[in-house]
Structures are given as C-alpha cells and as structure tokens.
Amino acid sequence: MALFPLYGYFKGDYIPRLIAVDTDDTFAQVAGKIAEHTVGRTLPNDPRAKGYVVTIDDEIIDPAEILGARVAAQKVQPLHWVDVNFAY
Amino acid sequence: MRLLNRDDWYDIGRDLDWTLTYVDHAEAFPDSWSGNGVVPAAAWDAWDEPYRVTYHDYVSVQREKEGGAHAVREALKRANIFHKLDPAHTASSQMHMGTTCMVEQMAITMQSRFCRFAPTPRWRNLGVYGMLDEIRHTQLDMAFSHDLLKDDQSFDWCQKAFHSNEWAVIAIRNFFDDVMLNADCMEAAIATSLTVEHGFTNIQFVALAADAMEAGDIDFSNLLSSIQTDESRHAQCGFPAVEILMKHDPKRAQHIFDVSFWRSFRLFQTLTGISMDYYTPLHQRKMSFKEFMMEWVVTQHERTIRDVGLQKPWYWDEFLACLDHGHHAMQLGTWMYRPTLFWNPNAGVSRAERKWLNSKYPGWEDSWGVIWDEIIRNVNDGAAEKTVGATLPALCNVTHLPIGAHWDRHHVSKQMSVYKGRTYYFDSNVSKWIFDSNPERYAGSTNVVERFLAGQIQPMDLGGAVQWMGLTPDVMGDDAYKYRWAAEYKSPVPMAAE
Ligand SMILES: [Fe+2]
Ligand SMILES: [Fe+2]
C-alpha cells in the first residue's frame, strides 16, 4: 500500500490532472479517482454509461487489475499518463 | 560654448571603440554573452541603428514624458477613481502589474548586457537608453501600484509576485529567465527585442491602454501609453541584429524565432487573451483577442518575417488554429483555480457575454460552453466548491502552463519525451519540439507538480499549494462578481429572448 501519482485524463475534459492513487487500487478504482475531477465538475455525467474504461499507452486495462502489479512490472511509472472514458 | 550639431559627431561617437591590448578580445567579449558565434567581425559594420538618439536628446524627451505621466498620476490620486472602476477591469491591471513589473526589471539586466557585451559599439550605445527605459518602466509600475495599495492589497503583488511561487509567475519567470537573463545578446535581440517586444508587447500595450481608457481607468491607460513609446523605440534594436544573423547563420536565427514566438504566444493567450475576451466589460470590448491577434500581431510578424527573410514557423497553421481556443482554456483554468490568483477573475460567461463569445468564436459552445454549463449548474446548486480545481493540473515542462491549454478539449494529447531517464510532458507538440531541439536547456527545471511530488509543498494538498504560492486571504482570488452572473441561468430563457 503506497500513494502513487498519475496524470489522469478524462476524455473530453480540457486538462489532465495530477491524481493521487494507491498501489492497492484496482483500475476501476483508479478510473473513479480520475473521473471524480471531471464528471459532475467539468463534464456532465452520462446516464447511459456503464462505468469507465481505462487506457494506458493504447492498451485497454482490465478494471479488476491491481495498479501495483503493473507498477511492479514497470509498465506504469510515477506520473504515467492514464486515459479514462465512459464505458458503454 | 556652442554645441555641435548631432550629425557632426554622431558617426564618430557611435563607433567609439577600444583596441584591447591587456586582454584578449574573446575574454572581454565572451561568446556566451555576446552571442557573436560565426559572424565575422567586419560584418558588424553593417549594423545600422534603426533610430538615432543622443544622451542629450534622450534625457530631454524622457524628462517631458516623466513629467506628463506623473502629472496625470498625481491628479488621479486625488480624484480617487479606483472605486468607480468595474471589478473585472481592475483584475486586468492587477494581473498586469504582478506579471509585468519584474519583467521590466529583468529587462534592465538584458539591456545592460547589450551595453556591455553587444558585438558592436553602436548597439552598446543604444543599450544605454534601453536600460534607462526599463528602469523607468519598473519604477512607473511600482509608483502606480504603490498609490493603489491603500485601496487594494492585490497591488502589493506588483513587487511581491516574482518573489513568490505563484504558478503563472513561475511560467512567466521561466520564459524571461530564458530569453532575457540567460540569453546572449544575439538571442536576446531576436527572442526579446524582435519577437516579444516588437511583435507582441508593443502592440499589446496599445490595446490595453485603449481598453483601460474605455473602462475609465485613465491612470493605467496613461502609464501604459507612456511605457509603450519607449518600447516601440528600443524594440527596433532587434532588426539590425537579426539581419546580420540571417546573413551568417540563418538557421540559428530561425530557431530562436520559432522557439520564442511559440513561448510568447502561450503567455499572451494566458494574459492578454483572458484580459481582452473576459475581463474587459462587454460593452467596452472593441475587438476580440483573435481579431486583435490577426489584425495586429499576425500582420506585424508576417511583415517582419518577410522583411528579414525568415520563414514562418513550421507550426504556423497550428498557431492559427490555436488562436480560436487556447485563451478560453486559460480563462477556464485560471477561473477554476482562482484561489491561486492574486486578483479576482471574472467568469465572463453571462448569457450576453456568451452570445458575444459565440459570435466571435463559432466553435465556442462545443469546446467551452459544455464545461461552463456544468460549472454554472454547480454554482446554482450551491456547490461552488465543486467549481474549484481540487488537484493540480498536469503541467508542461517547457512552458510551465497546463497541458492541453494551448487548444481545446478535442485536441488534448499526450506529448512526452524521455531524456536521461526522466520523463517530460508538454502542452503541445510545439513545446515538445522546443525541448527535443535543446533538451539540456530545459531538462534542469522542475514544474509545480514535480516540486509538489518532491515534497517541497506541505501539507500536500491544494491548501498547502496555495500557501506555498504565497497567496494570503486578503488577495486570494474569488469570482469578481461573487457569482451573481450565474443566477440568470436558473430560469431557462425562451428562444426569442436569446
Ligand atoms: Fe519595458
Ligand atoms: Fe522593453
């Protein structure tokens, strides 16, 4: 369990932001922490959406995957750019 | 004793130089300061000043100008007009003072470098007047702001800003550290005199002065006009320098121009763009920022480019596309992060203002209106806290401005480079190109996010960041009209009334 900084960008928003997540977080939780700064703040919620989809370096990430595993595999560095969008 | 006529001695005076015997020429004029590079010594005979001035002329003209500027200032001090001004406009003058005064101070150092290290005595001679100009500009800003301290503590930031870690100030300081304090004479001449001063600020001061006059701020308008007369003169020193470099090292000249044009533009989006399209009260707006840029700045630069034989920067089309957008991003960003400002920003999106924005920027609603709608909903739901950024924006490692903020939400893209094991992010492909073309120059600096992660900001939250930036409750930004503009959105307006 450790704090981990990412650059999170929610598709359609105007800026990416520094997002503090935890290495124990699933990517579903990571997505939620990124979306929190956009949905209901700078973009309206989309009632048709079924959660969020996370993309890192063009790869769609399994929402159940744990961030820490990807960090240990050196596939995610501090301040890595993480894209989030509504899932349909 | 009768004085000689200027033209009887000027040509001898301007060529006054020494043949050095005790030191090497290269030691007295190191390349790192002169920037002479590959230019042969004889080439400097072609350096011709764009205007002629003697110390006697200079002092008598400046004395008149100072007398005029301070007479207006004294008269207005008694008239106490400050409280009659629109608060949105007031923010423009506070922003200007905090972000410009110390740049004038930095320009003193740059002009002093021309006095001492410029490769020809003719240019060194003119550097003296440039230096005196910049001393005057700094002092005028300080005097103006000092007069208004009794009315508003934000004017304290005229002096304080550059001694703080306020994020916009970091961005501005970084640029001018680079092109004024760190630059050799040749680079400073092209990046600062030609690109920033001649191409941007000189014209911006005219526009700002006109807006200020329209807003009834005679004091600010008067100060800007007085400064502008000096700027338009000393900015011309960039021309002979670029002409010589174009003959001997055109690639270098082009590179300096391309880099400084983009970086100046990004700062102009941030300061002038916001000021013109959001802070100037609607009924006083004459031109949109884009119209102003197209008519004055673009035309001016196109003429310069043509006259001196430069090419348009390779990103010219992207620059033109960004004219429709980047300042709207910076407006949204500065307003959402208002506790990090030392002025009270106007949201500038009442229904009437929005109509104006859409008429000037046809894509505005789709790019920006969508976001403002969500903000307005939160304001009207009593959830204003949701309209303040709760975490830091990702920042560019070259411009120090928010990533994505040069264009709009449809053009946010990941731009990064890895250099010596460290990852750098950029606000645009242009800033990435700037970094990649000279990484050593930019790699050493850290942006606010990186300083935050390094533990320099404590406590590690937005409150800690605001404190670290030096913002105190008496000047910390809040909506200029206390959100009153949002109330009209509570009731939907029938189409006919729109
Ligand atoms: Fe100046
Ligand atoms: Fe200047």
Side-chain angles (χ1 to χ4, degrees):
Chain A
M1 199 186 87
L3 268 181
F4 197 83
L6 294 171
Y7 270 159
Y9 176 61
F10 196 98
K11 176 89 177 146
D13 202 351
Y14 76 116
I15 46 168
R17 297 178 184 83
L18 170 69
I19 308 289
V21 293
D22 195 287
T23 46
D24 284 349
D25 286 344
T26 62
F27 274 97
Q29 288 171 308
V30 168
K33 287 179 179 177
I34 292 171
E36 208 173 276
H37 295 277
T38 297
V39 180
R41 282 174 176 266
T42 53
L43 291 178
N45 188 25
D46 187 340
R48 294 170 304 138
K50 303 181 188 71
Y52 305 116
V53 54
V54 175
T55 312
I56 298 178
D57 301 325
D58 299 322
E59 183 191 344
I60 293 176
I61 311 296
D62 177 358
E65 192 180 330
I66 305 290
L67 169 70
R70 240 178 150 71
V71 172
Q74 297 193 331
K75 284 183 185 164
V76 169
Q77 275 82 40
L79 291 186
H80 213 100
W81 182 293
V82 177
D83 285 299
V84 177
N85 201 353
F86 287 116
Y88 297 100
Chain B
M1 192 179 76
R2 203 178 67 84
L3 285 173
L4 282 173
N5 289 325
R6 185 180 72 184
D7 290 341
D8 295 337
W9 61 267
Y10 196 91
D11 287 332
I12 301 168
R14 71 175 193 158
D15 281 331
L16 183 66
D17 207 352
W18 280 264
T19 306
L20 303 174
T21 52
Y22 293 107
V23 288
D24 255 9
H25 189 269
E27 265 181 90
F29 293 91
D31 206 49
S32 53
W33 282 134
S34 76
N36 185 81
V38 298
V39 179
W44 291 104
D45 293 342
W47 197 97
D48 223 348
E49 49 278 81
Y51 54 90
R52 296 188 149 210
V53 62
T54 66
Y55 191 73
H56 184 270
D57 299 339
Y58 179 83
V59 171
S60 44
V61 171
Q62 296 302 94
R63 186 174 187 276
E64 288 294 310
K65 276 196 220 170
E66 276 289 276
H70 289 288
V72 174
R73 190 188 132 221
E74 286 302 329
L76 289 166
K77 233 172 21 183
R78 286 189 296 273
N80 215 358
I81 59 163
F82 182 77
H83 294 288
K84 295 171 198 140
L85 299 172
D86 191 304
H89 163 75
T90 304
S92 278
S93 73
Q94 289 162 345
M95 175 168 79
H96 179 87
M97 289 303 159
T99 58
T100 311
C101 178
M102 288 299 142
V103 178
E104 305 277 19
Q105 175 76 23
M106 291 160 99
I108 300 171
T109 305
M110 180 190 78
Q111 295 283 351
S112 318
R113 184 165 315 127
F114 294 157
C115 301
R116 169 61 183 81
F117 292 108
T120 160
R122 300 171 186 179
W123 184 0
R124 296 200 287 272
N125 187 34
L126 289 192
V128 175
Y129 307 118
M131 178 184 70
L132 293 170
D133 287 343
E134 303 296 9
I135 292 173
R136 187 173 98 86
H137 303 169
T138 311
Q139 296 300 320
L140 270 176
D141 283 357
M142 296 288 259
F144 172 95
S145 297
H146 188 262
D147 290 345
L148 293 173
L149 262 182
K150 63 179 185 338
D151 299 302
D152 194 329
Q153 275 299 307
S154 289
F155 287 104
D156 191 31
W157 280 68
C158 174
Q159 198 271 344
K160 177 177 172 176
F162 273 61
H163 304 284
S164 80
N165 289 312
E166 202 274 341
W167 65 271
V169 170
I170 288 181
I172 297 163
R173 193 167 58 204
N174 182 282
F175 177 56
F176 288 105
D177 271 352
D178 199 29
V179 297
M180 279 184 176
L181 299 190
N182 180 49
D184 59 52
C185 293
M186 291 304 275
E187 184 171 47
I190 298 175
T192 303
S193 307
L194 186 80
T195 310
V196 180
E197 292 184 317
H198 179 75
F200 285 97
T201 48
N202 175 30
I203 303 160
Q204 176 221 19
F205 271 52
V206 177
L208 264 181
D211 278 352
M213 191 54 91
E214 195 66 33
D217 196 348
I218 306 159
D219 198 7
F220 186 41
S221 180
N222 168 62
L223 165 133
L224 292 166
S225 304
S226 188
I227 290 176
Q228 190 272 337
T229 57
D230 294 347
E231 289 296 324
S232 64
R233 169 171 38 74
H234 70 228
Q236 294 175 57
C237 276
F239 282 99
V242 74
E243 277 159 18
I244 286 182
L245 202 59
M246 283 305 288
K247 277 204 193 91
H248 299 278
D249 197 352
K251 257 182 81 181
R252 180 170 174 229
Q254 184 73 47
H255 189 263
I256 297 170
F257 181 71
D258 291 355
V259 169
S260 56
F261 183 83
W262 182 256
R263 293 200 64 186
S264 325
F265 169 56
R266 293 289 287 119
L267 290 179
F268 268 73
Q269 285 182 315
T270 307
L271 305 172
T272 315
I274 291 177
S275 204
M276 291 187 76
D277 283 359
Y278 293 92
Y279 293 179
T280 301
L282 181 60
H283 60 280
Q284 288 156 357
R285 286 180 207 161
K286 291 238 159 57
M287 261 185 171
S288 69
F289 173 64
K290 185 186 178 182
E291 288 165 342
F292 165 75
M293 288 292 290
M294 291 304 288
E295 184 164 340
W296 296 101
V297 177
V298 173
T299 317
Q300 180 98 326
H301 273 109
E302 280 178 341
R303 192 183 312 128
T304 302
I305 287 167
R306 198 178 52 236
D307 289 354
V308 303
L310 286 162
Q311 306 287 315
K312 280 180 186 170
W314 59 269
Y315 52 78
W316 193 253
D317 292 341
E318 181 165 342
F319 153 69
L320 291 175
C322 291
L323 276 180
D324 272 320
H325 288 294
H327 64 296
H328 303 302
M330 291 310 303
Q331 162 66 6
L332 189 57
T334 45
W335 190 85
M336 285 198 85
Y337 287 88
R338 50 203 178 279
T340 68
L341 308 178
F342 49 89
W343 64 89
N344 290 329
N346 178 25
V349 289
S350 65
R351 285 193 195 276
E353 287 167 310
R354 205 155 159 163
K355 200 173 162 196
W356 181 87
L357 285 163
N358 275 299
S359 74
K360 300 294 182 186
Y361 303 93
W364 189 89
E365 208 56 53
D366 172 59
S367 293
W368 308 103
V370 175
I371 299 174
W372 280 107
D373 278 340
E374 201 59 14
I375 289 171
I376 291 164
R377 193 181 58 74
N378 280 322
V379 170
N380 285 335
D381 284 355
E385 75 284 353
K386 281 194 183 174
T387 70
V388 178
T391 181
L392 295 169
L395 294 172
C396 176
N397 279 112
V398 167
T399 64
H400 292 254
L401 295 172
I403 289 173
H406 72 304
W407 203 328
D408 76 344
R409 65 197 194 93
H410 303 303
H411 295 87
V412 178
S413 69
K414 178 176 75 174
Q415 299 289 336
M416 57 173 275
S417 295
V418 177
Y419 180 70
K420 293 187 178 169
R422 185 177 148 200
T423 301
Y424 297 85
Y425 286 100
F426 309 104
D427 59 9
S428 56
N429 58 333
V430 184
S431 295
K432 175 178 157 53
W433 168 81
I434 291 172
F435 181 89
D436 290 344
S437 66
N438 194 357
E440 212 41 53
R441 184 164 187 153
Y442 307 97
S445 86
T446 47
N447 63 32
V448 172
V449 170
E450 291 159 336
R451 295 180 204 195
F452 182 81
L453 294 177
Q456 289 180 27
I457 299 170
Q458 297 293 339
M460 282 184 82
D461 53 29
L462 214 66
V466 165
Q467 204 179 3
W468 177 79
M469 290 181 196
L471 274 308
T472 46
D474 53 341
V475 299
M476 194 177 288
D478 196 3
D479 184 77
Y481 296 112
K482 303 281 175 251
Y483 312 94
R484 287 191 299 273
W485 54 271
E488 61 176 344
Y489 285 94
K490 283 181 185 164
S491 50
V493 168
M495 290 308 282
E498 283 262 15

